[in-house]
Amino acid sequence: MRTKAKKRLLLVVSMVFTGFLVVTIRLSYVMIAQADKYLSLAKNLHQRDREIKAPRGNIYDRNGVNIASNKAVYSISVIYSQITDREKVIKILSENLLIDESLIRKKVYKNSVREKIKSNVEKSIADRIRRYKLEGIKVDEDYKRVYPYDKLASKVLGFTGGDNQGILGLEVFYDKYLKGKTGRIRTLTDGKGVEIDGAYEEREEPVSGNDLYTSLDVNLQNYAVQACRKVKKEKKAKQVSMILMNPQNGEIYAMVNEPEYNLNKPFSLSAQKRAKNSKKQQEYLNKKWRNSCLNDTYEPGSVFKIITATAGLELSKVQVNDHFNCPGFRIVEDRKIRCHKVGGHGSETFKEGVMNSCNPVFMDVGARVGVDGMYQTFKKLGLFEKTGIDLAGEASSIMHQKKNVGAVELATMSFGQSIQITPLQLLRAVSAVINGGKLVTPHFGVYLQTQDGTKQKFFTYKTKKHVIKKETSETMKELLEAVVSDGSGKNCKIEGFSIGGKTATSEKLPRGNGKYISSFLGFAKAKNPTIIGIVLIDEPYGTYYGGTIAAPVMKSVFKVALPYMGIYKEYTPDKKEP
């Protein structure tokens, strides 16, 4: 009997000891191994974090002109556990922030740590709310993005959202550099979550975003805008676009899509458009923000003859003095494809064919080069790839599959029909043609700098060298200079300056709708280009030939831009320009 009792006692003691040992081990694990975890949880229970917004980096043009900066504003929020008079808080916030009481009531009565009521509140309003000294309302300093030039380069710069995050353009592409790092204020609270007055605060200072220095030039952008706005009004055009770029390194000086929009009011719409449903409104906004220079493709028309001529010279399929005959058309299989000159140009050299922008000459050159040769040149000049520009939403070219290119397709491609590319792709390809054979990456970003100026980061961009021979490049510059001095581009001629270029008049799809895009591509100096530009006039009213209406637009820009850039007259003409 005693033996059984002893055994039971021993069993009970063993169980108690084992339980005690398990609890001891568990407590030791919690108190030692997980001490940091539970300390953090305890702190979180009795501490509250408040964000300190970091100022967003500024954006500057190439001359250090500020084109995107910040303005101090305030953010209004409520803390549920600290509010003592909810209805008064609702009334005061509704009256001062002009927000419906029902919307504020939902947030004031929501049992959460913190509810934001409104961002981007002006200082005068924030100060007025502070003066009420209502418990549970927090007024924190914030920053609002402002654009000193309103509409200037709107479709390049883009804009930011309510929390100052990048939405479009350079603002979103470089957002990770511009946005900075948010700071924090950590305060002690009691068991109900109410902040303890006079208690110690932990503060983590915000880190300002980096400043972005770009290749944009405010003055060149303004010159381009004025020229585009003028011709848009005169020709009652749907839109006018222009790009000015350095063909040697891809730095973009100006990019215009007129009409532009006000960056400080990016979501504003006319009363008529606001009346539409939300889906339709978003379509209007997307259209308003769209950058046609790189988001849209088009049939380039006769400017594309630069690419065909380059292919012919590069592959030794044509020489400058080769002779052709233009009766005003070519018969290709079952098609009669006309020249823009109905009666034809008659006998002409290849150089004269380029100067005259003669379709039959280029159809002949395209046939000599062949499908393989044309596609080989397209690839070398980057027409099958995106340019790599530092903006989102770049479109891809639309080309025939090589196996589907017959004689008719080859003929129409040779003078810029039946293919679609973006204006920027074309500008990049022609830059390689005239800069000695370097395929550059068009871009805006040049370097970053901390706001105190202590650290810099320069961006690098891919360049493919020797995509065409130097000899081909030299010949093409001579041919394109002749187009402006004595050919179809003479309306861009500026006495004393050597300018090269090419005109185009593209019929919009579907054929026969009477809608055109008139364009001109030009560069200077012709022998050593440091600026290249393209202008596109979408759906001009009345006269629509590129040589007649687009070339003068580029001339008007070059007349002020060239001296501004330090490009002076190379010769003094015998007669002054009228």
Side-chain angles (χ1 to χ4, degrees):
M1 203 67 178
R2 286 182 181 176
T3 303
K4 286 184 179 180
K6 284 182 179 180
K7 284 183 179 180
R8 286 197 192 104
L9 181 60
L10 184 60
L11 180 61
V12 170
V13 170
S14 298
M15 290 174 66
V16 171
F17 179 77
T18 301
F20 179 76
L21 185 62
V22 169
V23 170
T24 302
I25 292 171
R26 179 60 184 167
L27 282 174
S28 299
Y29 174 72
V30 169
M31 294 173 67
I32 299 172
Q34 292 192 302
D36 291 341
K37 174 185 173 182
Y38 286 100
L39 180 62
S40 176
L41 289 172
K43 281 186 175 181
N44 289 338
L45 186 63
H46 294 285
Q47 290 181 339
R48 176 169 288 113
D49 280 350
R50 288 165 55 195
E51 287 187 346
I52 313 172
K53 290 293 181 68
R56 192 170 176 84
N58 298 306
I59 302 178
Y60 296 94
D61 87 337
R62 67 186 303 104
N63 300 311
V65 177
N66 192 312
I67 51 180
S69 58
N70 303 298
K71 176 183 178 182
V73 290
Y74 293 83
S75 176
I76 311 297
S77 55
V78 292
I79 296 176
Y80 179 86
S81 60
Q82 295 183 9
I83 300 174
T84 54
D85 189 339
R86 300 191 189 282
E87 289 304 315
K88 188 174 183 180
V89 166
I90 292 167
K91 186 174 184 296
I92 295 300
L93 292 182
S94 177
E95 289 175 352
N96 286 274
L97 299 177
L98 303 179
I99 300 174
D100 190 85
E101 284 192 7
S102 62
L103 298 175
I104 296 177
R105 182 171 280 104
K106 288 178 183 178
K107 294 185 177 183
V108 168
Y109 279 92
K110 185 176 180 180
N111 190 352
S112 63
V113 174
R114 191 185 190 93
E115 285 293 316
K116 183 176 286 188
I117 304 298
K118 190 175 182 180
S119 301
N120 296 328
V121 176
E122 296 294 327
K123 184 177 186 300
S124 59
I125 298 172
D127 288 344
R128 194 160 65 236
I129 292 172
R130 273 200 187 104
R131 285 196 289 271
Y132 287 102
K133 296 181 180 179
L134 291 172
E135 292 184 3
I137 297 178
K138 292 298 176 184
V139 181
D140 294 314
E141 188 170 319
D142 201 347
Y143 295 94
K144 178 183 179 181
R145 201 60 156 169
V146 291
Y147 302 91
Y149 293 91
D150 289 333
K151 293 184 177 183
L152 196 75
S154 63
K155 297 177 184 181
V156 172
L157 289 174
F159 55 89
T160 60
D163 289 327
N164 242 7
Q165 79 281 14
I167 298 292
L168 283 177
L170 295 177
E171 290 280 25
V172 70
F173 193 91
Y174 290 102
D175 188 61
K176 67 179 180 181
Y177 301 112
L178 291 165
K179 66 182 179 181
K181 184 181 178 183
T182 302
R184 297 187 183 283
I185 297 175
R186 180 166 288 176
T187 55
L188 287 175
T189 63
D190 61 19
K192 295 180 180 179
V194 178
E195 290 183 7
I196 301 171
D197 289 336
Y200 172 74
E201 290 184 342
E202 290 181 15
R203 187 180 180 92
E204 182 183 335
E205 295 297 335
V207 179
S208 300
N210 290 295
D211 292 334
L212 173 66
Y213 285 78
T214 70
S215 59
L216 268 174
D217 188 303
V218 164
N219 293 316
L220 291 176
Q221 182 79 16
N222 269 320
Y223 299 154
V225 167
Q226 290 166 16
C228 291
R229 195 170 288 164
K230 183 173 182 287
V231 74
K232 182 180 183 295
K233 183 178 180 181
E234 289 174 352
K235 300 303 298 180
K236 300 176 183 176
K238 180 180 178 182
Q239 178 176 280
V240 181
S241 301
M242 182 181 287
I243 311 171
L244 299 177
M245 187 175 86
N246 184 335
Q248 304 294 338
N249 61 16
E251 289 186 352
I252 299 175
Y253 300 135
M255 183 177 281
V256 179
N257 292 272
E258 187 64 32
E260 302 275 349
Y261 64 91
N262 191 333
L263 287 163
N264 294 305
K265 300 175 182 177
F267 293 93
S268 66
L269 289 170
S270 67
Q272 182 182 4
K273 291 176 180 177
R274 284 199 306 272
K276 304 290 183 180
N277 60 52
S278 58
K279 185 177 179 181
K280 201 68 178 175
Q281 285 184 25
Q282 190 58 52
E283 288 177 12
Y284 284 132
L285 288 171
N286 290 338
K287 187 177 180 181
K288 168 179 162 178
W289 300 332
R290 195 168 184 82
N291 186 337
S292 293
C293 292
L294 57 116
N295 296 148
D296 296 327
T297 60
Y298 79 116
E299 284 193 347
S302 292
V303 175
F304 199 76
K305 291 171 182 175
I306 297 173
I307 308 302
T308 304
T310 301
L313 292 168
E314 181 74 3
L315 298 171
S316 301
K317 300 298 183 181
V318 68
Q319 301 297 321
V320 173
N321 294 316
D322 283 0
H323 281 269
F324 298 83
N325 182 60
C326 170
F329 61 89
R330 280 283 185 273
I331 301 296
V332 182
E333 291 185 342
D334 60 341
R335 307 283 181 88
K336 187 176 186 178
I337 305 176
R338 298 186 180 278
C339 184
H340 66 87
K341 186 175 182 181
V342 178
H345 294 99
S347 178
E348 58 188 335
T349 64
F350 177 60
K351 179 178 180 180
E352 290 169 334
V354 175
M355 292 167 61
N356 295 329
S357 194
C358 177
N359 284 354
V361 168
F362 282 91
M363 285 189 272
D364 289 352
V365 173
R368 291 185 190 183
V369 172
V371 179
D372 288 340
M374 290 289 277
Y375 274 56
Q376 178 185 327
T377 305
F378 292 175
K379 185 176 181 181
K380 285 183 176 181
L381 295 177
L383 295 174
F384 290 125
E385 63 188 28
K386 296 180 181 181
T387 68
I389 188 173
D390 46 352
L391 289 175
E394 185 177 9
S396 300
S397 57
I398 302 172
M399 301 277 194
H400 297 288
Q401 288 188 19
K402 192 161 70 169
K403 65 181 181 180
N404 296 331
V405 178
V408 173
E409 289 77 18
L410 182 59
T412 55
M413 278 195 312
S414 69
F415 56 85
Q417 283 188 2
S418 75
I419 58 169
Q420 292 195 35
I421 57 177
T422 67
L424 189 64
Q425 282 180 308
L426 180 60
L427 202 66
R428 181 195 189 206
V430 177
S431 292
V433 170
I434 65 170
N435 69 16
K438 292 182 297 182
L439 189 63
V440 299
T441 300
H443 62 274
F444 292 98
V446 179
Y447 67 94
L448 297 169
Q449 183 172 286
T450 53
Q451 290 192 20
D452 59 7
T454 58
K455 195 174 181 181
Q456 292 180 332
K457 171 186 170 62
F458 284 82
F459 296 108
T460 57
Y461 298 91
K462 187 168 71 173
T463 298
K464 295 179 184 176
K465 296 182 178 179
H466 313 301
V467 296
I468 63 168
K469 296 192 285 278
K470 187 176 181 181
E471 296 78 19
T472 302
S473 180
E474 293 298 321
T475 302
M476 284 302 304
K477 285 188 287 185
E478 292 174 10
L479 291 173
L480 295 172
E481 183 179 7
V483 170
V484 174
S485 61
D486 298 300
S488 59
K490 60 182 178 293
N491 282 331
C492 189
K493 184 177 180 180
I494 305 173
E495 293 293 350
F497 292 93
S498 63
I499 296 171
K502 186 73 189 72
T503 62
T505 308
S506 318
E507 186 179 16
K508 295 180 73 171
L509 298 175
R511 307 279 180 221
N513 63 10
K515 296 178 180 179
Y516 297 86
I517 295 177
S518 306
S519 63
F520 179 81
L521 184 150
F523 57 92
K525 299 177 180 180
K527 293 179 176 59
N528 183 28
T530 53
I531 184 170
I532 185 171
I534 186 170
V535 58
L536 302 98
I537 306 169
D538 189 4
E539 297 185 19
Y541 177 78
T543 303
Y544 53 80
Y545 296 111
T548 305
I549 66 170
V553 177
M554 190 60 71
K555 176 181 179 177
S556 69
V557 173
F558 277 0
K559 283 184 79 170
V560 290
L562 299 184
Y564 168 77
M565 295 177 67
I567 303 172
Y568 300 107
K569 289 188 176 184
E570 299 165 73
Y571 61 91
T572 304
D574 295 333
K575 295 181 180 180
K576 290 185 178 180
E577 185 181 2

